[in-house]
Amino acid sequence: SKSHSNDDANPTNNNPFHFDPTSQYPRPSLLTSSSPFSFLLTKWIQANSLALLEQAVEDHNAEHVATSPSLADSLSYRRCIVLPLDDRFDPPVGVFSHNHVQTGDKMSLSRNFWEAIAKSKAEVPWLFEVTRVEGVTSPRVQVPLDEFHPTSKNLSRVVGGALDFRCPENYAFLPHWMMKALGLRPRDVVDVRLVTTTPPGSAVKLRPHSNSFLNIHNHQAVLETELKHYSALTLGTTIPFDYRGERFFFDVVDLRSAPRGERVG
């Protein structure tokens, strides 16, 4: 996976795409406020900061739409504010991704991406690239070395599929592992685009974080079943699987493309 040398450049105060997380936390307390209006003032500052961010993203996307050479191109890309997926996005029983919101590569995207698929006649699997934006995305979050230790600490992009196309315009909801892989915090800004050039895979090498997975009877079949919830894999990421109430983590350490088995960089 390619990365940019200035990927973690500190955003300046003049960067309209930067949302200051300190404007949210800690939450103000009415009991400790020195003025009866301080709580409302703090909330207004928070709302104003988010509104400015949303307007900057909207303006960027409007310019893209206005200058795109075709309708399909105008629909296939958006700059997005990211938030993590949670259980409220879990599809109903019977849908393939049920109970796999966090153990798959599916993200919730806005309706324009569905329209882009229709206009471009893209073939399945429908894949989307999420990319950190140099000088725009805030500095990378330093993830504690617990269950997550990616083989590449400077990933700038990840490819995945779509869970649905019902999230608000200019937003995207990502699984937790994808947020961690890109070093993102809630309300960071990224670029999302429909991609049709991802090579098909022929082989993958995964490194488990725990030997306990090997103790599962017929663990190879379990692994193959769970991998079906990943439309694509990105070298250097750490992906999770659940099996019988236990979560297992695997580093993606090698990918080979079809048909000649060339290594994917």
Side-chain angles (χ1 to χ4, degrees), residues 30-50:
L30 281 172
L31 298 177
T32 59
S33 298
S34 59
S35 164
F37 299 106
S38 62
F39 176 78
L40 294 178
L41 177 61
T42 303
K43 296 297 287 185
W44 181 88
I45 293 173
Q46 295 171 3
N48 184 63
S49 179
L50 179 57

Side-chain angles (χ1 to χ4, degrees), residues 112-123 126 128 165 194:
N112 63 279
F113 288 105
W114 171 249
E115 296 172 353
I117 291 171
K119 292 295 181 182
S120 64
K121 299 180 180 179
E123 298 181 356
W126 301 319
F128 303 88
F165 299 95
L194 173 68

Side-chain angles (χ1 to χ4, degrees), residues 26-149:
R27 294 181 179 177
S29 171
L30 281 172
L31 298 177
T32 59
S33 298
S34 59
S35 164
F37 299 106
S38 62
F39 176 78
L40 294 178
L41 177 61
T42 303
K43 296 297 287 185
W44 181 88
I45 293 173
Q46 295 171 3
N48 184 63
S49 179
L50 179 57
L52 291 174
L53 173 64
E54 290 179 331
Q55 189 60 58
V57 172
E58 172 65 27
D59 291 346
H60 175 88
N61 288 334
E63 181 178 359
H64 166 73
V65 171
T67 58
S68 293
S70 67
L71 179 57
D73 185 71
S74 72
L75 295 168
S76 63
Y77 161 84
R78 287 294 183 270
R79 182 154 290 177
C80 295
I81 302 168
V82 295
L83 290 169
L85 286 169
D86 59 31
D87 290 341
R88 291 174 294 180
F89 289 85
D90 192 22
V93 176
V95 176
F96 179 70
S97 294
H98 177 66
N99 283 339
H100 283 81
V101 170
Q102 301 301 341
T103 53
D105 68 342
K106 307 301 186 291
M107 54 193 108
S108 181
L109 302 172
S110 52
R111 182 171 176 80
N112 63 279
F113 288 105
W114 171 249
E115 296 172 353
I117 291 171
K119 292 295 181 182
S120 64
K121 299 180 180 179
E123 298 181 356
V124 293
W126 301 319
L127 300 177
F128 303 88
E129 182 181 78
V130 182
T131 310
R132 291 179 59 90
V133 185
E134 181 179 336
V136 171
T137 309
S138 59
R140 187 179 300 273
V141 174
Q142 299 302 315
V143 179
L145 293 178
D146 46 17
E147 82 285 350
F148 185 83
H149 44 86

Side-chain angles (χ1 to χ4, degrees), residues 102 140-158 175-184 207-210 230 234-241 247-252:
Q102 301 301 341
R140 187 179 300 273
V141 174
Q142 299 302 315
V143 179
L145 293 178
D146 46 17
E147 82 285 350
F148 185 83
H149 44 86
T151 54
S152 173
K153 296 181 180 180
N154 296 308
L155 282 174
S156 62
R157 65 182 183 92
V158 171
H176 293 167
W177 71 264
M178 196 177 288
M179 298 278 291
K180 290 181 177 181
L182 293 175
L184 301 173
R207 180 172 59 208
H209 287 198
S210 170
Y230 290 85
T234 302
L235 188 67
T237 55
T238 296
I239 57 174
F241 297 150
R247 180 154 295 181
F248 300 91
F249 294 88
F250 296 82
D251 297 332
V252 182

Side-chain angles (χ1 to χ4, degrees), residues 164-186:
D164 57 48
F165 299 95
R166 59 188 179 92
C167 89
E169 287 288 329
N170 305 323
Y171 276 84
F173 291 80
L174 311 182
H176 293 167
W177 71 264
M178 196 177 288
M179 298 278 291
K180 290 181 177 181
L182 293 175
L184 301 173
R185 55 175 56 82

